[in-house]
Amino acid sequence: CPSDVQENVLQRVLQLPVVSSTCESLQRTYTSTKEAHPLVASVCEVYERGVQGAGALAMRGMEPVVRKLEPQFAVANNLACRGLDHLEEKIPALQYPVDK
């Protein structure tokens, strides 16, 4: 990863065409399933609200720990970015959408 701008390895992975196209496909399937089945949609909406609430609680509780471990996260992120650089170099298919 470039040293002038700290990249986030998760953001880089999500931007890979193979990953982003898979996520888009899953989102389309999820949305169309909710639209086609009202009962499934109501269960999904309850679940989504629960996940959002739990996520917000977890973030507040983890904030002090994350701040304390920030240097270790930066080192791990840097190592992961270098590993991703190597994977992208060795596996060109990561640069193509799933359908290709």
Side-chain angles (χ1 to χ4, degrees), residues 7-100:
E7 283 187 286
N8 179 312
V9 72
L10 181 59
Q11 290 171 335
R12 281 190 57 195
V13 167
L14 291 174
Q15 289 171 357
L16 288 171
V18 69
V19 175
S20 64
S21 68
T22 300
C23 290
E24 289 167 6
S25 176
L26 289 172
Q27 181 64 39
R28 281 192 304 273
T29 301
Y30 179 73
T31 300
S32 66
T33 301
K34 281 175 47 175
E35 289 171 356
H37 305 284
L39 181 59
V40 172
S42 64
V43 170
C44 289
E45 288 167 10
V46 169
Y47 173 75
E48 290 166 9
R49 283 193 299 272
V51 167
Q52 287 172 346
L57 270 172
M59 286 302 292
R60 278 187 294 208
M62 291 297 295
E63 192 175 339
V65 175
V66 169
R67 261 192 254 125
K68 186 174 184 179
L69 295 176
E70 226 167 345
Q72 289 87 340
F73 288 146
V75 169
N77 183 66
N78 191 19
L79 289 171
C81 281
R82 283 193 270 160
L84 186 56
D85 289 341
H86 182 71
L87 282 176
E88 287 177 311
E89 181 182 311
K90 297 293 182 189
I91 308 173
L94 294 173
Q95 300 304 322
Y96 299 106
V98 172
D99 58 353
K100 293 186 181 181

